[in-house]
Amino acid sequence: MPFKDILYAEASGNYTRIVTPQHTHMPAITFSGFEQQLPAAQFIRVHRSFIINKSAISHIEGNRVFIHRIEIPIGSNYKDSFLKELGL
């Protein structure tokens, strides 16, 4: 699966839930292990349980980022670096 197809990834125990526009994958890989494989220029961690594809962002409202119609929380520990990374 090409990285550009990934909308976001979510921690789920010893698995990582990887969401694309067509499918959801649950490989047996830890969240931190998956994060290390992603290109840092394209993906950003916004919460202890979520990594998003920056190019998939629809909009941001308060402490939430939207990817298509999916609402993802922005953790308080990640908000400043997230907004700085986006130039906001």
Side-chain angles (χ1 to χ4, degrees):
M1 148 187 34
F3 290 128
K4 68 177 181 50
D5 292 345
I6 299 171
L7 298 176
Y8 68 92
E10 179 181 6
S12 183
N14 290 330
Y15 296 86
T16 298
R17 184 171 165 248
I18 302 168
V19 179
T20 69
Q22 295 82 21
H23 302 286
T24 297
H25 305 274
M26 288 284 288
I29 184 173
T30 63
F31 194 58
S32 58
F34 179 70
E35 182 179 26
Q36 291 173 355
Q37 295 179 22
L38 294 171
Q42 190 176 355
F43 291 87
I44 187 165
R45 193 158 183 168
V46 295
H47 187 275
R48 67 180 170 84
S49 299
F50 288 96
I51 298 169
I52 64 168
N53 184 336
K54 291 190 284 189
S55 65
I57 296 171
S58 299
H59 66 283
I60 300 167
E61 281 181 25
N63 290 332
R64 300 167 300 168
V65 61
F66 290 82
I67 295 182
H68 299 273
R69 293 189 182 100
I70 301 158
E71 181 180 327
I72 295 174
I74 301 171
S76 56
N77 293 340
Y78 298 90
K79 187 170 185 179
D80 289 343
S81 61
F82 170 62
L83 295 175
K84 184 176 180 183
E85 177 77 23
L86 295 180
L88 303 173

PDB file of all heavy atoms in Angstrom, residues 9-25:
ATOM      1  N   ALA A   9      -3.716   6.695  10.717  1.00  0.00           N
ATOM      2  CA  ALA A   9      -3.473   5.448  11.428  1.00  0.00           C
ATOM      3  C   ALA A   9      -3.855   5.656  12.890  1.00  0.00           C
ATOM      4  O   ALA A   9      -3.694   6.746  13.434  1.00  0.00           O
ATOM      5  CB  ALA A   9      -2.005   5.044  11.321  1.00  0.00           C
ATOM      6  N   GLU A  10      -4.379   4.603  13.488  1.00  0.00           N
ATOM      7  CA  GLU A  10      -4.832   4.669  14.880  1.00  0.00           C
ATOM      8  C   GLU A  10      -4.262   3.494  15.669  1.00  0.00           C
ATOM      9  O   GLU A  10      -4.279   2.354  15.196  1.00  0.00           O
ATOM     10  CB  GLU A  10      -6.365   4.613  14.919  1.00  0.00           C
ATOM     11  CG  GLU A  10      -6.948   4.658  16.298  1.00  0.00           C
ATOM     12  CD  GLU A  10      -8.463   4.587  16.305  1.00  0.00           C
ATOM     13  OE1 GLU A  10      -9.083   4.395  15.240  1.00  0.00           O
ATOM     14  OE2 GLU A  10      -9.043   4.709  17.400  1.00  0.00           O
ATOM     15  N   ALA A  11      -3.759   3.778  16.861  1.00  0.00           N
ATOM     16  CA  ALA A  11      -3.254   2.721  17.733  1.00  0.00           C
ATOM     17  C   ALA A  11      -4.411   1.844  18.188  1.00  0.00           C
ATOM     18  O   ALA A  11      -5.478   2.348  18.527  1.00  0.00           O
ATOM     19  CB  ALA A  11      -2.554   3.329  18.941  1.00  0.00           C
ATOM     20  N   SER A  12      -4.191   0.539  18.174  1.00  0.00           N
ATOM     21  CA  SER A  12      -5.226  -0.400  18.596  1.00  0.00           C
ATOM     22  C   SER A  12      -4.558  -1.611  19.242  1.00  0.00           C
ATOM     23  O   SER A  12      -4.370  -2.642  18.600  1.00  0.00           O
ATOM     24  CB  SER A  12      -6.058  -0.808  17.378  1.00  0.00           C
ATOM     25  OG  SER A  12      -7.114  -1.650  17.749  1.00  0.00           O
ATOM     26  N   GLY A  13      -4.147  -1.456  20.488  1.00  0.00           N
ATOM     27  CA  GLY A  13      -3.455  -2.540  21.178  1.00  0.00           C
ATOM     28  C   GLY A  13      -2.114  -2.820  20.528  1.00  0.00           C
ATOM     29  O   GLY A  13      -1.327  -1.907  20.298  1.00  0.00           O
ATOM     30  N   ASN A  14      -1.844  -4.087  20.221  1.00  0.00           N
ATOM     31  CA  ASN A  14      -0.595  -4.459  19.554  1.00  0.00           C
ATOM     32  C   ASN A  14      -0.698  -4.341  18.035  1.00  0.00           C
ATOM     33  O   ASN A  14       0.194  -4.799  17.319  1.00  0.00           O
ATOM     34  CB  ASN A  14      -0.197  -5.889  19.923  1.00  0.00           C
ATOM     35  CG  ASN A  14       0.245  -5.989  21.359  1.00  0.00           C
ATOM     36  OD1 ASN A  14       0.782  -5.032  21.921  1.00  0.00           O
ATOM     37  ND2 ASN A  14       0.002  -7.132  21.979  1.00  0.00           N
ATOM     38  N   TYR A  15      -1.761  -3.761  17.574  1.00  0.00           N
ATOM     39  CA  TYR A  15      -1.984  -3.575  16.144  1.00  0.00           C
ATOM     40  C   TYR A  15      -2.058  -2.090  15.836  1.00  0.00           C
ATOM     41  O   TYR A  15      -2.166  -1.259  16.729  1.00  0.00           O
ATOM     42  CB  TYR A  15      -3.301  -4.231  15.710  1.00  0.00           C
ATOM     43  CG  TYR A  15      -3.304  -5.730  15.868  1.00  0.00           C
ATOM     44  CD1 TYR A  15      -3.651  -6.318  17.073  1.00  0.00           C
ATOM     45  CD2 TYR A  15      -2.957  -6.554  14.802  1.00  0.00           C
ATOM     46  CE1 TYR A  15      -3.638  -7.695  17.226  1.00  0.00           C
ATOM     47  CE2 TYR A  15      -2.950  -7.931  14.949  1.00  0.00           C
ATOM     48  CZ  TYR A  15      -3.286  -8.497  16.152  1.00  0.00           C
ATOM     49  OH  TYR A  15      -3.275  -9.857  16.295  1.00  0.00           O
ATOM     50  N   THR A  16      -2.013  -1.778  14.564  1.00  0.00           N
ATOM     51  CA  THR A  16      -2.207  -0.410  14.112  1.00  0.00           C
ATOM     52  C   THR A  16      -3.306  -0.448  13.064  1.00  0.00           C
ATOM     53  O   THR A  16      -3.222  -1.204  12.091  1.00  0.00           O
ATOM     54  CB  THR A  16      -0.909   0.166  13.499  1.00  0.00           C
ATOM     55  OG1 THR A  16       0.096   0.181  14.521  1.00  0.00           O
ATOM     56  CG2 THR A  16      -1.126   1.574  12.993  1.00  0.00           C
ATOM     57  N   ARG A  17      -4.338   0.328  13.283  1.00  0.00           N
ATOM     58  CA  ARG A  17      -5.451   0.412  12.332  1.00  0.00           C
ATOM     59  C   ARG A  17      -5.075   1.456  11.277  1.00  0.00           C
ATOM     60  O   ARG A  17      -4.919   2.631  11.592  1.00  0.00           O
ATOM     61  CB  ARG A  17      -6.720   0.814  13.072  1.00  0.00           C
ATOM     62  CG  ARG A  17      -7.952   0.842  12.232  1.00  0.00           C
ATOM     63  CD  ARG A  17      -9.182   1.034  13.137  1.00  0.00           C
ATOM     64  NE  ARG A  17     -10.304   1.404  12.312  1.00  0.00           N
ATOM     65  CZ  ARG A  17     -10.895   2.588  12.321  1.00  0.00           C
ATOM     66  NH1 ARG A  17     -10.497   3.530  13.147  1.00  0.00           N
ATOM     67  NH2 ARG A  17     -11.895   2.839  11.523  1.00  0.00           N
ATOM     68  N   ILE A  18      -4.911   1.022  10.042  1.00  0.00           N
ATOM     69  CA  ILE A  18      -4.500   1.904   8.954  1.00  0.00           C
ATOM     70  C   ILE A  18      -5.702   2.098   8.032  1.00  0.00           C
ATOM     71  O   ILE A  18      -6.252   1.128   7.505  1.00  0.00           O
ATOM     72  CB  ILE A  18      -3.316   1.302   8.167  1.00  0.00           C
ATOM     73  CG1 ILE A  18      -2.143   1.056   9.118  1.00  0.00           C
ATOM     74  CG2 ILE A  18      -2.915   2.221   7.022  1.00  0.00           C
ATOM     75  CD1 ILE A  18      -1.043   0.217   8.518  1.00  0.00           C
ATOM     76  N   VAL A  19      -6.094   3.355   7.841  1.00  0.00           N
ATOM     77  CA  VAL A  19      -7.299   3.660   7.068  1.00  0.00           C
ATOM     78  C   VAL A  19      -6.924   4.330   5.750  1.00  0.00           C
ATOM     79  O   VAL A  19      -6.203   5.321   5.727  1.00  0.00           O
ATOM     80  CB  VAL A  19      -8.250   4.558   7.889  1.00  0.00           C
ATOM     81  CG1 VAL A  19      -9.492   4.902   7.087  1.00  0.00           C
ATOM     82  CG2 VAL A  19      -8.627   3.883   9.200  1.00  0.00           C
ATOM     83  N   THR A  20      -7.435   3.758   4.652  1.00  0.00           N
ATOM     84  CA  THR A  20      -7.296   4.340   3.318  1.00  0.00           C
ATOM     85  C   THR A  20      -8.711   4.664   2.826  1.00  0.00           C
ATOM     86  O   THR A  20      -9.687   4.258   3.459  1.00  0.00           O
ATOM     87  CB  THR A  20      -6.618   3.347   2.343  1.00  0.00           C
ATOM     88  OG1 THR A  20      -7.505   2.264   2.095  1.00  0.00           O
ATOM     89  CG2 THR A  20      -5.294   2.819   2.886  1.00  0.00           C
ATOM     90  N   PRO A  21      -8.847   5.365   1.717  1.00  0.00           N
ATOM     91  CA  PRO A  21     -10.205   5.655   1.237  1.00  0.00           C
ATOM     92  C   PRO A  21     -11.032   4.395   0.953  1.00  0.00           C
ATOM     93  O   PRO A  21     -12.241   4.403   1.120  1.00  0.00           O
ATOM     94  CB  PRO A  21      -9.969   6.445  -0.052  1.00  0.00           C
ATOM     95  CG  PRO A  21      -8.631   7.059   0.120  1.00  0.00           C
ATOM     96  CD  PRO A  21      -7.838   6.052   0.919  1.00  0.00           C
ATOM     97  N   GLN A  22     -10.386   3.307   0.566  1.00  0.00           N
ATOM     98  CA  GLN A  22     -11.118   2.093   0.201  1.00  0.00           C
ATOM     99  C   GLN A  22     -11.174   1.038   1.296  1.00  0.00           C
ATOM    100  O   GLN A  22     -12.117   0.259   1.353  1.00  0.00           O
ATOM    101  CB  GLN A  22     -10.488   1.441  -1.046  1.00  0.00           C
ATOM    102  CG  GLN A  22     -10.576   2.252  -2.299  1.00  0.00           C
ATOM    103  CD  GLN A  22      -9.479   3.314  -2.403  1.00  0.00           C
ATOM    104  OE1 GLN A  22      -8.454   3.222  -1.757  1.00  0.00           O
ATOM    105  NE2 GLN A  22      -9.720   4.335  -3.200  1.00  0.00           N
ATOM    106  N   HIS A  23     -10.141   0.965   2.143  1.00  0.00           N
ATOM    107  CA  HIS A  23     -10.027  -0.159   3.077  1.00  0.00           C
ATOM    108  C   HIS A  23      -9.504   0.275   4.434  1.00  0.00           C
ATOM    109  O   HIS A  23      -8.902   1.333   4.571  1.00  0.00           O
ATOM    110  CB  HIS A  23      -9.064  -1.227   2.528  1.00  0.00           C
ATOM    111  CG  HIS A  23      -9.455  -1.762   1.198  1.00  0.00           C
ATOM    112  ND1 HIS A  23     -10.499  -2.636   1.022  1.00  0.00           N
ATOM    113  CD2 HIS A  23      -8.942  -1.548  -0.036  1.00  0.00           C
ATOM    114  CE1 HIS A  23     -10.613  -2.931  -0.262  1.00  0.00           C
ATOM    115  NE2 HIS A  23      -9.685  -2.284  -0.929  1.00  0.00           N
ATOM    116  N   THR A  24      -9.684  -0.613   5.396  1.00  0.00           N
ATOM    117  CA  THR A  24      -9.055  -0.486   6.703  1.00  0.00           C
ATOM    118  C   THR A  24      -8.205  -1.736   6.905  1.00  0.00           C
ATOM    119  O   THR A  24      -8.688  -2.858   6.711  1.00  0.00           O
ATOM    120  CB  THR A  24     -10.110  -0.371   7.817  1.00  0.00           C
ATOM    121  OG1 THR A  24     -10.863   0.816   7.603  1.00  0.00           O
ATOM    122  CG2 THR A  24      -9.450  -0.299   9.189  1.00  0.00           C
ATOM    123  N   HIS A  25      -6.949  -1.536   7.256  1.00  0.00           N
ATOM    124  CA  HIS A  25      -6.021  -2.649   7.462  1.00  0.00           C
ATOM    125  C   HIS A  25      -5.641  -2.707   8.937  1.00  0.00           C
ATOM    126  O   HIS A  25      -5.576  -1.680   9.602  1.00  0.00           O
ATOM    127  CB  HIS A  25      -4.752  -2.438   6.622  1.00  0.00           C
ATOM    128  CG  HIS A  25      -5.030  -2.224   5.174  1.00  0.00           C
ATOM    129  ND1 HIS A  25      -5.172  -3.264   4.289  1.00  0.00           N
ATOM    130  CD2 HIS A  25      -5.209  -1.086   4.450  1.00  0.00           C
ATOM    131  CE1 HIS A  25      -5.423  -2.769   3.076  1.00  0.00           C
ATOM    132  NE2 HIS A  25      -5.449  -1.449   3.157  1.00  0.00           N
TER     133      HIS A  25
END
